[in-house]
Amino acid sequence: MNEAHLSTLSRELQVPPSQVRATLELLMDGATVPFIARYRKEMTGSLDEVVITHLRDRHEQLLHLDRRREAILRSLQESGKLNANLETKIQSAKTLAQLEDLYLPFRPKRRTRASAAREKNLEPLAEILWLQEKKTNPLAEASRFVDSGKGVEDAEASLRGARDIVAEWISENTDARTRLRALFAAEGMLRSNVLSGKEEEGIQYGDYYEWEEPLAGCPAHRYLAMRRGEKEGILALHVFPPEQEALKILSHLFVRGHTAASLQVQQAMEDAYGRLLAPSLENEAKQQAKERADGEAISVFADNLRNLLMSPPLGFKRVLAVDPGFRTGCKLVCLDPQGKLLHHETLYPHSGEKSAIAAANGLRELVKRFEVEAIAIGNGTAGRETETFVRALNLPAAVQVLVVDESGASVYSASAVAREEFPDHDVTVRGAVSIGRRLMDPLAELVKIEPKSLGIGQYQHDVDQGMLRKSLDDVVMSCVNGVGVEVNTASTQLLTYVSGLGPQLARNIVARRDQDGPFKSRKELLKVPRLGPKAFQQAAGFLRIRGASNPLDASAVHPESYSVVEAMAKDLKCTVGNLMEDENLRDRVKLDRYLTPETGLPTLKDILQELAKPGRDPRQNFEAFTFAEGIEKMEDLQPGMRLPGIVTNVTAFGAFVDIGVHRDGLVHVSELSDRFVSDPLQVVRVQQKVMVTVTHVDVSRKRISLSMKSAPQNKNGEKGRRKVPAKASQTQNTEKRSPAGRDFSNKPFQELLKGKEMERSGRGDAKKKK
């Protein structure tokens, strides 16, 4: 293990070297982040998942830097250009930019103006000018290099070639590049202009046709919007620092005195900056800004995904799920408490009075026949109308009627996973099943859907896709293992994210379960093909087996700690089951008696907590939510209305909220709270229930502006609230948790809302047919 890396990681993360070493050893041995954070606290000093993940990623960056360093040294060695001084500089380089700067003069190049000048034997003249001696007469010296046979017709041509060589020397100087790079970062201005003739075609980027601001202060969402405009050939995007300041830096480094030769170097320096340095460093600055924006956008996406996956589950209930539609009817499915499809049919509540009566009778019969406990209605096309229809049926009070966000259901219904699960049913049945199951257990169902299809991202198609996938996979794995997985009912997709498993072992577990019946103990997992001791160690603690003979198999206590619990029970002269059921017995446990080099107080405390609530679901309890009655379409909205809503997406510039009108409204960051908010994720989160006030409605442009302030202003500056119909629901226990940004009217941001609404109102080919 590289000791320099240990030192760097320890310093950057402010973690003792011993903890860094232990964590890296576990990671390199194949341990997952959730396993290390949960079951190796003694070794890591109880580092959490965030720190462990950061340590892992930073270590990978350092390894990448080492690989590039080795490649550069090897290239220089092979070309005979490596010397002791250069090797020392390369070995001590701390960043990739420093490495590339050192390698730049020796990198194989395409033909340049400087290389052409060297072919004309003008490098000696360049060296003379470079010395900038007082006695040097540039024209006289240049006349000695005139050679019409090589294309050097006169002294001025000689000087031009020599200046080209000097310009290249300046552009490849490590110190110059380092200082100018810092200038670009600190004082660089970002400018965006529309390309000629693209004004009409790119009107959605109209706000950026003449735009300028400091690069360092440009928010991630704005930069990504301009980058997209540049990529689509609408905008020209440039970064530039104060030119005089840049030239001053170069002059200080390269121009000595006021000799005639110095004037030649001055000319070469100006050429080097404008032709070579500025374009190169501009590209670097833009790329670094892109990486920074990617990181921020991915972080927002990851937070949204975590909150969505950790939405409270309804639990094991008998559910009737409805995929609503107008002309083509509503597809209904009945599910058992484990989510198994029992029945499906299509009813037509919106196709005339006769059909509505038949639909009402049919739905009442299904509720009675399948002892339905909850009805899940998708929030897409005809969702609110179907909810109104169902609520008017006077069903038993115990039957909950709930609206479910169906974003991504069409993606699932057309996927290979859905076809494999329901080969004999069409996409509408699969979509309805997904709606019902995501109410019962959002985590178990949403892991089957590509996160980018869930409508919770911010410019997710513009960011680095590899970085995005890695981050989202980390989130899904963290959530799955944080909740735990019931091995006898989990899907292959859910098992895939369990620590230590992966797709193949997940398939093997399901195949073994289908062949031999439910697993009766965790030990039986070792009979699964290719699931060896290492995978078992990583996975076992996160797998649950309800009804197992050993009650610990249904808990988060790892099998490697069973002997500790058994020792506790033996000392108290009771069974493990008694210990789990009786708080008084647990209070009598003296943890110091069970300390070993491998099992310390952190693990022992975790064990006691788990014994108190075995297999406890960390997600919050489910709370029913309903939209305001009588508010079903945008035309029903008026400024001042106070309405309940659910946060569907959090971005850097605010939060989108579903208020039940088939179009999400935006609470701009400036309207999230009475206090100043710099990061919306500190105030709101995806799936949070909130109360909002309508401040502006633009039906023609399909835009809704909302506020969460206590006394918001509508668009013409008037304060106050308008009451909604008397039966409008109220939300309770609104939690405050989580971006800064821009006005809702900014056109590029409408793409986020447009994408969300395409999923809601279109839902792919299946939904368009409705």
Side-chain angles (χ1 to χ4, degrees), residues 552 562-580 585-586 588-589 594 608 611:
L552 294 176
Y562 282 8
S563 59
V564 177
V565 181
E566 291 163 358
M568 293 176 180
K570 182 179 179 181
D571 291 344
L572 294 171
K573 296 180 173 54
C574 67
T575 66
V576 170
N578 297 148
L579 190 59
M580 298 172 74
L585 287 172
R586 294 193 299 274
R588 291 165 54 191
V589 174
Y594 307 101
L608 271 189
L611 293 178

Side-chain angles (χ1 to χ4, degrees), residues 116-414:
R118 289 189 181 93
E119 292 171 3
K120 297 173 183 178
N121 198 33
L122 294 175
E123 191 160 20
L125 177 58
E127 292 171 347
I128 292 171
L129 298 178
W130 187 250
L131 295 175
Q132 302 174 58
E133 293 180 346
K134 196 170 184 178
K135 63 181 181 180
T136 301
N137 183 329
L139 276 176
E141 294 291 344
S143 63
R144 297 192 296 111
F145 292 87
V146 173
D147 186 343
S148 58
K150 292 184 177 181
V152 184
E153 302 295 338
D154 53 31
E156 185 54 42
S158 298
L159 288 174
R160 282 198 303 271
R163 289 197 298 268
D164 287 340
I165 295 173
V166 172
E168 188 171 272
W169 289 343
I170 292 173
S171 72
E172 293 177 347
N173 182 274
T174 301
D175 197 12
R177 296 183 70 87
T178 299
R179 295 192 188 190
L180 289 180
R181 185 178 290 116
L183 183 66
F184 268 82
E187 300 184 41
M189 295 296 294
L190 175 66
R191 179 183 293 166
S192 171
N193 299 100
V194 64
L195 295 177
S196 179
K198 295 290 185 177
E199 292 82 359
E200 293 298 323
E201 179 184 342
I203 192 63
Q204 68 269 32
Y205 297 104
D207 286 353
Y208 305 134
Y209 281 2
E210 296 294 333
W211 182 268
E212 185 174 306
E213 68 178 309
L215 178 64
C218 181
H221 63 272
R222 191 148 67 224
Y223 188 73
L224 290 173
M226 286 187 274
R227 288 278 298 201
R228 179 184 291 180
E230 181 183 46
K231 185 176 181 180
E232 293 178 2
I234 305 298
L235 302 176
L237 205 58
H238 295 288
V239 176
F240 55 93
E243 183 172 332
Q244 290 307 311
E245 185 65 25
L247 293 175
K248 183 178 178 181
I249 290 172
L250 294 178
S251 180
H252 177 75
L253 287 173
F254 303 111
V255 181
R256 297 186 294 278
H258 300 282
T259 68
S262 299
L263 293 178
Q264 295 293 321
V265 173
Q266 176 83 21
Q267 285 183 257
M269 178 202 76
E270 293 173 358
D271 175 51
Y273 178 73
R275 180 170 57 88
L276 302 172
L277 277 167
S280 172
L281 294 174
E282 178 187 23
N283 288 335
E284 273 192 33
K286 289 169 66 176
Q287 183 57 35
Q288 288 172 1
K290 171 67 163 53
E291 292 172 1
R292 183 172 62 250
D294 283 359
E296 293 180 22
I298 290 170
S299 179
V300 171
F301 197 158
D303 283 339
N304 287 344
L305 179 61
R306 181 179 296 276
N307 288 320
L308 181 62
L309 294 179
M310 296 299 283
S311 300
L314 177 66
F316 299 101
K317 305 283 187 181
R318 291 180 291 275
V319 171
L320 186 155
V322 184
D323 184 0
F326 286 119
R327 183 178 56 82
T328 56
C330 295
K331 180 63 68 176
L332 277 64
V333 298
C334 296
L335 308 174
D336 74 2
Q338 282 71 45
K340 180 181 178 181
L341 176 61
L342 303 176
H343 175 80
H344 70 88
E345 65 176 274
T346 303
L347 299 178
Y348 299 86
H350 311 300
S351 300
E353 183 178 352
K354 185 176 180 179
S355 295
I357 294 173
N361 293 332
L363 198 146
R364 290 194 189 98
E365 192 277 330
L366 289 175
V367 168
K368 181 178 180 180
R369 175 181 165 192
F370 291 98
E371 301 178 331
V372 169
E373 299 172 88
I375 297 177
I377 302 171
N379 69 341
T381 303
R384 288 306 308 280
E385 293 80 1
T386 302
E387 179 194 4
T388 300
F389 170 80
V390 172
R391 291 189 183 280
L393 297 180
N394 295 319
L395 297 172
V399 179
Q400 293 179 285
V401 179
L402 303 158
V403 175
V404 177
D405 189 340
E406 60 182 34
S407 298
S410 61
V411 175
Y412 163 77
S413 62

Side-chain angles (χ1 to χ4, degrees), residues 380-540:
T381 303
R384 288 306 308 280
E385 293 80 1
T386 302
E387 179 194 4
T388 300
F389 170 80
V390 172
R391 291 189 183 280
L393 297 180
N394 295 319
L395 297 172
V399 179
Q400 293 179 285
V401 179
L402 303 158
V403 175
V404 177
D405 189 340
E406 60 182 34
S407 298
S410 61
V411 175
Y412 163 77
S413 62
S415 69
V417 172
R419 291 195 298 272
E420 181 180 347
E421 193 170 6
F422 300 105
D424 301 323
H425 298 291
D426 64 22
V427 292
T428 59
V429 173
R430 299 170 190 162
V433 171
S434 181
I435 291 169
R437 286 178 173 177
R438 67 174 63 186
L439 173 64
M440 299 166 72
D441 189 343
L443 177 61
E445 190 62 20
L446 293 176
V447 295
K448 302 175 184 177
I449 301 171
E450 174 67 36
K452 289 190 291 185
S453 300
L454 295 175
I456 55 170
Q458 178 188 352
Y459 293 101
Q460 63 258 37
H461 300 291
D462 298 305
V463 302
D464 184 284
Q465 295 301 294
M467 187 191 306
L468 176 64
R469 173 163 288 282
K470 183 177 182 180
S471 177
L472 299 186
D473 282 348
D474 282 343
V475 170
V476 177
M477 177 173 279
S478 174
C479 292
V480 169
N481 290 284
V483 171
V485 173
E486 170 53 51
V487 70
N488 285 322
T489 58
S491 66
T492 301
Q493 292 72 35
L494 190 61
L495 287 166
T496 294
Y497 287 99
V498 172
S499 169
L501 295 186
Q504 186 58 58
L505 286 179
R507 287 192 291 268
N508 292 351
I509 289 173
V510 172
R512 166 71 165 62
R513 187 178 70 196
D514 292 343
Q515 177 181 327
D516 299 336
F519 291 92
K520 298 180 178 61
S521 71
R522 280 171 167 167
K523 285 184 179 180
E524 288 187 7
L525 289 164
L526 288 167
K527 298 179 181 179
V528 172
R530 299 179 64 180
L531 200 159
K534 186 68 177 179
F536 180 81
Q537 179 195 54
Q538 293 291 310

Side-chain angles (χ1 to χ4, degrees), residues 593-662:
R593 298 182 57 180
Y594 307 101
L595 288 172
T596 68
E598 295 76 26
T599 306
L601 278 177
T603 293
L604 292 172
K605 289 178 179 178
D606 283 350
I607 289 173
L608 271 189
Q609 290 177 0
E610 188 61 25
L611 293 178
K613 295 181 178 180
R616 178 181 64 88
D617 193 325
R619 294 172 289 185
Q620 296 179 359
N621 293 330
F622 183 85
E623 292 183 9
F625 172 87
T626 55
F627 294 111
E629 290 187 19
I631 308 296
E632 298 179 359
K633 54 187 182 298
M634 287 187 67
E635 289 78 3
D636 297 329
L637 297 174
Q638 294 184 43
M641 281 184 169
R642 183 83 167 157
L643 301 169
I646 295 181
V647 177
T648 59
N649 193 13
V650 179
T651 73
F653 51 87
F656 289 95
V657 177
D658 183 3
I659 54 176
V661 295
H662 301 300

Side-chain angles (χ1 to χ4, degrees), residues 631 633-643 659 692-699 703-707 712-724:
I631 308 296
K633 54 187 182 298
M634 287 187 67
E635 289 78 3
D636 297 329
L637 297 174
Q638 294 184 43
M641 281 184 169
R642 183 83 167 157
L643 301 169
I659 54 176
V692 295
T693 301
V694 179
T695 59
H696 181 68
V697 182
D698 187 338
V699 176
R703 295 182 184 178
I704 305 168
S705 297
L706 306 171
S707 176
Q713 292 185 337
N714 61 29
K715 198 159 188 177
N716 58 20
E718 297 175 351
K719 293 186 178 181
R721 300 176 183 172
R722 182 184 299 275
K723 291 183 178 180
V724 296

